[in-house]
Amino acid sequence: RYGDSAGGFCYQESAQLAAATRNRFVRWTTSGDAVELVEESLDVNLLNNAVRLRIQGCPFLPGGVHLCEVQSHLVVLLITGQTVHRLLLPHPARMYRSELITESQMQSVFTDIGKINFRDPSNYYVIPSVPGLASNSVASAAWLSSEGEALFALPSASGGIFVLKLPPHDAPGTVSVVELKQSSVMQRFLTGWMPTAIRGDCGPSDLPISLSVHCLDHDAFLFALCQDHKLRMWSYKDQMCLMVADLLEFMPVSRDLRLAAGTGHRLRLAFSQSLGLYLGVYMHAPKRGQFCVFQLVSTESNRYSLDHISSLFSSQETLVDFALTSAEIWALWHNEENQTVVKYINFEQNVAGQWNQVFVQPLPEEEVTVRHDQDPRETYLEYLFMPGRFTNAAIQKALQIFSQGTERHMDLTWDELKKEVTLAVESEFQGSVTEYECSPEEFWQLQVEFWSKFYACCLQYQEALSRPLALHLNPYTSMVCLLKKGSLSFLVPCSLVDHLYLLSNEHLLTEDDAAIFDDLEMSRDVVCLVQCLRLIGESISLEMAFIMEMACSRLQPPEKAAEQILEDLIANDTENVMEDIHSKLQEIRNPIHAIGVLIREMDYETDVDMERAHHLNMRMNLTQLYGSGTAVNVVCWGVCKIATIRFLICRDLLILQQLLLRLGDPMVLGGGQLFQSQQDLLHRTSPLLLSYYLIRWASQCLASDVPVDTLESNLQHLSVLELADTTALTPHKLVSGPQTIVELFFQEVARKHIISRLFLQPNASLAETSLNWPHLITAIVADFLPLLWPSNPGFLFPECLMGSCQYTQLQEYIRLLQPWCHVNMGSCCFMMGRCYLVMGEGHKALDCFCQAASEVGREEFLDRLIQPEEGEMVSTPRLQYYNKVLRLLDMVGLPELVIQLATLAIMESADDWRSQATLRTCIFKHHLDLGHNSEAYVALTQNPDPSRQLDCLRQLVVVLCERSQLQDLVEFPYVNLHNEVVGIIESHARAVDLMTHNYYELLYAFHIYRHNYRKAGTVMFEYGMRLGREVRTLRGLQKQGNCFLAAINCLRLIRPEYAWIVQPASGAVYERPGASPKRSHDGECTAVPSTCQIEILELEDLERECVLARIRLTLVQHDLSAAAVAGNSTPEETVALLVRAGLFDTAVTLCQTFKLPLTPIFEGLTFKCIKLQLGGEAAQAEAWDWLAANQLSALVTTKESSATDEAWRLLSSYLERYPSQNSLYHRCVINKLLAHGIPLPNWLINSYKRVDAAELLRLYLNYDLLEEAVDLVLEYVDAVLGKGHQYFGIEFPLSATAPMVWLPYTAIDQLLQALRESTANHYNVMLYQKLHDKMEDYQQKVSVATRDRLYRR
């Protein structure tokens, strides 16, 4: 098994701004027979970008992974101890042809690796046993020829190199093996498994320890650094050794070194188009090492030699890896303490051979200090899950070991992992506590024990995963990465101040002081000052450091904390650090000036607000530049590092300033008059320290996952404030690791601002198309810090937190900021208000919003908040602000707060009646919503805008009606609004359904309350009329009756001369506001009918209407089916309906009320009698219903009477009760009976004889009843003559003394004529004779009586 290894590959166009492979690279690590390949991008998040390949039983050679780029493919060449492999992947430029790539995610080059046939014989080959792979060398090289063949160079078991060649992937061919031997210029192809026949004698001295290849158009130069310390250069095409160089010539050597095999040597190549090929060789010797840099020089006769450029020495023991450029060497070591050491040197400019140190992220502390006032679980969890300290993988592996592998914890999110860890440690802890009771101290101690055990486990895995394997240097972008076993680190340039502070003292002494500042004296002062700070920093214990941390967290002045730390330092100064500091201070010529320079270097405060982002250029693909999670992480960790270091610098600087103040030495301070300057500097350092503390806190503060519904409601709030465009809001699912709020800010907002400022402004410093990582990352961080700087006028960071729903974090940010930062105070108050609003603390929110109002017009964020919309009325800035907040509170649903704020705003708007009207309307609306009717009414009356006042009034009426709070509505005084209220209620009354709303009753109550009885009566009468027309139901008729009664009551309360009302118009004439115009059949608007003549109704008219309504109700109660027609029927129609229903008494009452003839009643009753007489049992049973509804005169009889008898009796009683002129009712009854062929009952005949016998005779004649007519005439003549005269109503019969009598001669003549004409009937002849004789007899008697009468005269 070989050791683990790692490496990287950069695309050729990775530095081109417009390329598909921009900022993309592939890194790999091998471990045993597995290789992990990961494609990284700094611009977009790549999908399916990691793949793990395992070639069973074939361990990979260290460095045995080579990637080559051809036009359409990315070719991966793999070398194991037994085999070689070729994998073909599509080139990213082929996968995405589009010039515009706007997605934040993209498929990786490894997406389709599953489709590859790994067993395709044309793409792999088993290394032949002859010549065989050397066992004691792991060197390898692989490349693609210009024809597309895959070539693998490997150390031969017999010394020298053999090259395996796989034919092009798209062309048939056989695998060939060629051996490069120095002892012969002959070429020998060993194809397949053929044994070698001729071999020169060759010892293992030329065994390659390190191989590198440089490809030419049609050849490849193979460089082999051999264990005999010689560098050999081969031409693959000619299979010739072109050059041999003894490297021991370039280093001080001992005899032992020359004789020892050079197993630790390394070789690297660097090619530059302008400078040619550079070779970097690391020569390993015990306890030391040496780097030699050469340039390859060729002569005309195709001879090659090395030009020695530089030799550099290093004292570190174990070199892990090094990388070469045409100007620099980057080297990675492991020192004796097992720490990672990275250094670099510019071998062209650095004459002194001084390496520059790279400050590597240290491993987490070996132990976590838990104070007795802290909870062990919380302390350890906070330390373990602090972003950037432990990787997810390390914690997951530790968890698996700790819980003894019972569960597999895969792909847990940061929060889920935290829960699992807590559960695992707590359950382990609970399982070990055997005693039921233990003291708090023992419990605390046990907790610490178990948590420290888990922590040690995490530390072990973190250390293993952090083991460095290689350096990856991108020659195109100058980016350097540190490849570790389980992660990837990026190297970023360090600023001058941080560099001086971090650098160890021995380096500081050798720094070229003049390089720091132009002023040499000033440079020395600053270096001495930083050395003082380092002395202080190294002396500060954890407890002292904690004092400053707590002061910042608890908002206490840092100056006081610095003073306390200084006192502790002086009290505990066992190593005379104070004397060292004092002596160092003596070296500083002008300490005040030096401190000022240092503060200026660290201060990111700007006077102007940074311009808001331009729209990023799609053509240049700027939308994605440094937009991937990896890039975001690097930038934000760069910022976190700077903030952490500078917080310590500021802390130490504060302590040093307190020391200077305490010393008060005129020699040190430069004179007593500078005491004030020193105080000023102290007060400048304090905000600087707090700013860095805040940025460090934000860089380590995790962002919360936000549910989608919270995001949506937040988006609604932002749209009300018109701030929704500032951030692109997406819910983030954080899997690989947590996201801090600074990362969130950079990703969502800051990156666009920075990139647009760097590339798109006219004076942009980075407008070129080639990307340089050190320049760009420095520029980005330098532009990012001002955006985070608390005392700058820009307010993007808190705005982003608000937009991303990070309310808890935003509250803490503002809490840490408010006591000392006096910039954007109003904006901070506003943000705090928003947080309180979301947390449900509305009253606190209102206080914050009111505080923020005082800063409106002075701060950029608040100014942006109050920009008026198109068409919006422009008022004062503060009023616009109040308007926005009111809309926000309204949306959240806090009417009480809206009222409070609007009342406050009214005071501001004393001169602006339009704003006053808006605010009063707002107050009215919310009072009304809350049910504060009186307050709503007051707000309405105070509204200065009549049209709004009317709208509010309309709303008040409708809402109070809907809530049935009618008493309030009626009792409000409505000063100067009386007619408007009446108009509103009337229009509603006429526009809505009568049975579901009671606007008429409301209007009635309204008028009654004001003693306006006539209007109240008019309202109720109109209501009654409409009920009759529109609501034809029993309930409608009941209501109608009540309405008419109420109207009558109203008029009875008025003096008689005023007791009248105007007849209301019919429904169609009402002009309802907003009603659509009526149109004729051809679509034309019909003319509004001209107003009809006004009709006055008096009390009697109303009483008649009331009777009619009551009778209609009686009718409908008796017969519900009549409701549809009865509601609006005239008296005549109602009589007909009553008769049909059999309600004859009621019909008589109605006729008498409206002075109508009773004829229809008698006809109807007669018809019912006929039906009963002719009908059967069913008709009899039905008749009792309507008979019961009429008042029958009491009759005592022993015989049980039938319904028919009762009906006839009712008819008889009516004829007696209601006499008519000319016996009209008798005639109509008889007419009806005779018309139906019913024989007349005797009581009727007798009754009519008494009234009008002559008319009865005429009726008989009309209906051809000759016999009855004859009998009647005979009886009539007898009655006239005195026999039964009382039955015919004749008072005095024929006599000379009595008054004159008469007979209906015309009718009698007609009867005689009729009998005479029907001689065919013998009976008629007899009747004729009888009648004729009677008349003759009568004539004689009349003659006698006439004579007597004449005689008497």
Side-chain angles (χ1 to χ4, degrees), residues 837-1007:
L837 211 53
V838 173
M839 306 292 182
E841 298 183 85
H843 289 284
K844 285 185 184 176
L846 186 63
D847 291 343
C848 290
F849 290 141
C850 294
Q851 282 175 38
S854 60
E855 299 298 319
V856 171
R858 297 183 202 163
E859 295 177 11
E860 185 269 342
F861 171 74
L862 294 176
D863 288 350
R864 211 154 29 84
L865 192 69
I866 62 169
Q867 283 174 351
E869 296 174 37
E870 280 183 39
E872 191 184 358
M873 178 180 66
V874 179
S875 55
T876 64
R878 200 173 286 192
L879 277 176
Q880 283 173 286
Y881 167 77
Y882 282 134
N883 187 29
K884 277 280 167 73
V885 177
L886 285 169
R887 281 160 64 183
L888 179 63
L889 293 172
D890 188 16
M891 187 180 181
V892 177
L894 297 169
E896 298 100 332
L897 303 186
V898 173
I899 292 164
Q900 282 182 45
L901 189 62
T903 310
L904 196 69
I906 283 171
M907 298 174 196
E908 294 276 339
S909 62
D911 307 325
D912 185 352
W913 70 270
R914 283 194 179 86
S915 296
Q916 285 243 349
T918 307
L919 292 165
R920 297 266 182 214
T921 305
C922 177
I923 292 172
F924 161 80
K925 175 185 174 296
H926 287 93
H927 270 312
L928 191 59
D929 290 347
L930 289 167
H932 304 161
N933 301 341
S934 306
E935 291 87 343
Y937 172 74
V938 171
L940 176 154
T941 55
Q942 291 172 340
N943 200 318
D945 182 350
S947 68
R948 284 192 181 229
Q949 195 177 42
L950 201 58
D951 291 341
C952 293
L953 191 59
R954 198 171 284 118
Q955 200 176 348
L956 182 75
V957 170
V958 173
V959 170
L960 292 189
C961 284
E962 283 172 355
R963 291 185 193 153
S964 303
Q965 294 174 332
L966 304 177
Q967 186 162 356
D968 284 355
L969 187 56
V970 167
E971 290 178 1
F972 287 139
Y974 300 112
V975 179
N976 300 328
L977 291 170
H978 185 274
N979 292 341
E980 285 82 353
V981 177
V982 171
I984 289 165
I985 302 176
E986 273 183 358
S987 67
H988 274 88
R990 290 167 181 167
V992 298
D993 180 27
L994 290 172
M995 295 308 280
T996 52
H997 299 81
N998 51 2
Y999 286 110
Y1000 277 111
E1001 290 168 20
L1002 169 65
L1003 200 52
Y1004 170 72
F1006 185 86
H1007 289 312

Side-chain angles (χ1 to χ4, degrees), residues 1061-1294:
I1061 61 170
V1062 176
Q1063 165 85 40
S1066 63
V1069 181
Y1070 296 137
E1071 289 185 25
R1072 294 201 294 273
S1076 59
K1078 298 291 169 269
R1079 300 180 187 278
S1080 61
H1081 64 277
D1082 58 357
E1084 296 298 319
C1085 289
T1086 52
V1088 177
S1090 55
T1091 311
C1092 303
Q1093 198 172 353
I1094 291 171
E1095 192 179 336
I1096 302 296
L1097 297 176
E1098 293 185 342
L1099 189 57
E1100 295 78 21
D1101 301 322
L1102 258 67
E1103 285 168 343
R1104 278 205 301 276
E1105 281 295 332
C1106 186
V1107 169
L1108 179 58
R1110 202 165 58 246
I1111 286 171
R1112 284 177 189 145
L1113 179 61
T1114 307
L1115 169 65
V1116 173
Q1117 282 170 336
H1118 181 77
D1119 177 13
L1120 277 172
S1121 64
V1125 283
N1128 198 30
S1129 55
T1130 60
E1132 291 83 358
E1133 290 165 350
T1134 309
V1135 168
L1137 291 169
L1138 289 166
V1139 167
R1140 196 184 77 181
L1143 303 178
F1144 297 106
D1145 281 355
T1146 314
V1148 168
T1149 309
L1150 183 60
C1151 290
Q1152 287 172 339
T1153 305
F1154 283 91
K1155 299 186 173 51
L1156 298 174
L1158 300 179
T1159 314
I1161 298 169
F1162 282 102
E1163 283 185 349
L1165 182 53
T1166 308
F1167 185 64
K1168 282 202 178 286
C1169 291
I1170 295 166
K1171 275 175 78 180
L1172 276 173
Q1173 196 158 317
L1174 300 175
E1177 288 294 324
Q1180 293 280 330
E1182 276 176 35
W1184 285 114
D1185 289 342
W1186 62 262
L1187 282 168
N1190 295 293
Q1191 219 172 356
L1192 293 165
S1193 54
L1195 179 73
V1196 179
T1197 173
T1198 54
K1199 180 178 161 244
E1200 191 180 311
S1201 60
S1202 68
T1204 313
D1205 298 339
E1206 289 299 316
W1208 284 115
R1209 197 153 70 80
L1210 183 64
L1211 181 60
S1212 164
S1213 68
Y1214 277 5
L1215 286 169
E1216 285 173 25
R1217 209 180 305 155
Y1218 308 115
S1220 59
Q1221 198 177 4
N1222 299 330
S1223 61
L1224 178 67
Y1225 303 145
H1226 280 81
R1227 185 162 69 249
C1228 94
V1229 170
I1230 293 167
N1231 227 335
K1232 195 77 172 169
L1233 288 169
L1234 293 178
H1236 283 82
I1238 302 297
L1240 303 181
N1242 288 333
W1243 62 265
L1244 181 59
I1245 295 167
N1246 294 337
S1247 168
Y1248 198 23
K1249 278 197 295 195
R1250 197 174 295 114
V1251 179
D1252 193 349
E1255 185 57 34
L1256 180 60
L1257 175 61
R1258 282 193 284 278
L1259 283 168
Y1260 278 155
L1261 285 172
N1262 285 349
Y1263 288 97
D1264 212 17
L1265 300 173
L1266 301 181
E1267 187 179 349
E1268 287 83 347
V1270 169
D1271 291 342
L1272 178 63
V1273 171
L1274 295 175
E1275 280 181 39
Y1276 197 0
V1277 170
D1278 284 343
V1280 170
L1281 295 175
K1283 182 182 173 184
H1285 62 86
Q1286 68 275 14
Y1287 297 121
F1288 281 86
I1290 297 169
E1291 201 173 339
F1292 302 105
L1294 182 65

Side-chain angles (χ1 to χ4, degrees), residues 384-400:
L384 278 166
F385 289 91
M386 176 71 74
R389 196 164 275 165
F390 286 91
T391 60
N392 201 315
I395 298 176
Q396 285 197 15
K397 285 195 172 181
L399 180 59
Q400 211 157 336

Side-chain angles (χ1 to χ4, degrees), residues 447-571:
Q447 271 194 307
V448 170
E449 194 181 307
F450 275 91
W451 276 104
S452 63
K453 185 179 161 191
F454 179 74
Y455 180 78
C457 214
C458 290
L459 199 60
Q460 188 183 339
Y461 279 106
Q462 183 65 28
E463 201 170 319
L465 291 171
S466 301
R467 187 159 61 85
L469 296 176
L471 281 170
H472 167 58
L473 191 148
N474 183 330
Y476 310 109
T477 62
S478 305
M479 180 179 74
V480 184
C481 296
L482 186 56
L483 303 177
K484 302 177 183 177
K485 184 167 172 60
S487 58
L488 164 73
S489 292
F490 291 80
L491 305 191
V492 295
C494 183
S495 70
L496 176 66
V497 176
D498 305 356
H499 176 70
L500 287 175
Y501 184 74
L502 293 170
L503 216 54
S504 56
N505 283 342
E506 66 268 16
H507 281 101
L508 262 178
L509 295 172
T510 58
E511 277 289 335
D512 186 0
D513 294 340
I516 302 174
F517 298 107
D518 294 337
D519 181 350
L520 189 59
E521 201 169 284
M522 174 50 56
S523 297
R524 289 197 181 118
D525 277 3
V526 170
V527 170
C528 286
L529 178 66
V530 173
Q531 283 181 311
C532 289
L533 298 182
R534 272 187 68 87
L535 284 169
I536 291 170
E538 286 163 3
S539 311
I540 288 175
S541 65
L542 280 173
E543 287 76 16
M544 294 177 194
F546 187 68
I547 292 170
M548 185 59 84
E549 295 281 343
M550 282 295 103
C552 296
S553 173
R554 291 172 180 168
L555 312 179
Q556 293 157 353
E559 298 95 324
K560 291 271 191 300
E563 202 173 344
Q564 190 184 336
I565 294 169
L566 178 62
E567 284 171 6
D568 290 356
L569 278 173
I570 293 167

Side-chain angles (χ1 to χ4, degrees), residues 64 104 107 232 339 758 845 968 1009 1015 1158 1226:
S104 61
Q107 293 295 348
R232 294 174 171 84
Q339 290 174 326
L758 291 178
D968 284 355
Y1009 185 74
K1015 280 199 173 176
L1158 300 179
H1226 280 81

Side-chain angles (χ1 to χ4, degrees), residues 615-824:
H615 185 66
L616 289 177
N617 190 334
M618 298 278 288
R619 267 273 171 262
M620 291 174 76
N621 265 348
L622 291 179
T623 43
Q624 264 81 39
L625 190 62
Y626 298 121
S628 75
T630 309
V632 170
N633 195 265
V634 172
V635 171
C636 297
W637 273 110
V639 166
C640 183
K641 272 285 196 205
I642 290 171
T644 307
I645 295 163
R646 294 194 179 175
F647 172 74
L648 298 177
I649 295 173
C650 294
R651 179 198 67 188
D652 299 346
L653 190 57
L654 266 181
I655 296 165
L656 184 69
Q657 286 171 302
Q658 290 289 7
L659 178 64
L660 287 171
L661 280 174
R662 184 176 285 232
L663 290 171
D665 188 340
M667 286 302 292
V668 174
L669 286 173
Q673 74 274 17
L674 290 176
F675 179 76
Q676 187 57 45
S677 301
Q678 175 66 5
Q679 283 285 4
D680 293 344
L681 282 176
L682 196 67
H683 295 308
R684 276 178 64 195
T685 312
S686 184
L688 206 59
L689 172 112
L690 290 165
S691 296
Y692 281 118
Y693 176 80
L694 192 60
I695 293 171
R696 189 192 71 181
W697 168 84
S699 301
Q700 295 172 343
C701 175
L702 294 179
S704 316
D705 276 348
V706 184
V708 174
D709 55 346
T710 310
L711 275 175
E712 284 172 357
S713 75
N714 182 52
L715 206 53
Q716 289 172 347
H717 295 182
L718 293 178
S719 66
V720 166
L721 299 172
E722 287 150 41
L723 294 173
D725 61 331
T726 55
T727 51
L729 297 169
T730 47
H732 300 288
K733 185 69 179 163
L734 312 171
V735 180
S736 59
Q739 187 179 35
T740 64
I741 55 175
V742 169
E743 287 172 350
L744 179 72
F745 172 53
F746 182 77
Q747 186 175 315
E748 301 289 355
V749 179
R751 185 183 65 85
K752 291 174 192 147
H753 281 76
I754 295 164
I755 298 296
S756 109
R757 193 163 170 276
L758 291 178
F759 285 88
L760 299 181
Q761 285 188 357
N763 57 350
S765 58
L766 296 163
E768 70 271 6
T769 53
S770 183
L771 302 173
N772 181 286
W773 168 256
H775 292 175
L776 261 178
I777 192 73
T778 307
I780 287 170
V781 170
D783 271 8
F784 189 24
L785 275 164
L787 289 175
L788 290 167
W789 201 252
S791 52
N792 279 344
F795 200 61
L796 288 171
F797 182 45
E799 202 179 328
C800 169
L801 293 183
M802 180 180 77
S804 306
C805 306
Q806 305 297 320
Y807 302 116
T808 317
Q809 294 86 337
L810 182 55
Q811 276 181 296
E812 179 62 11
Y813 177 82
I814 294 169
R815 184 190 76 82
L816 291 170
L817 187 72
Q818 269 182 330
W820 59 271
C821 180
H822 305 298
V823 180
N824 286 319

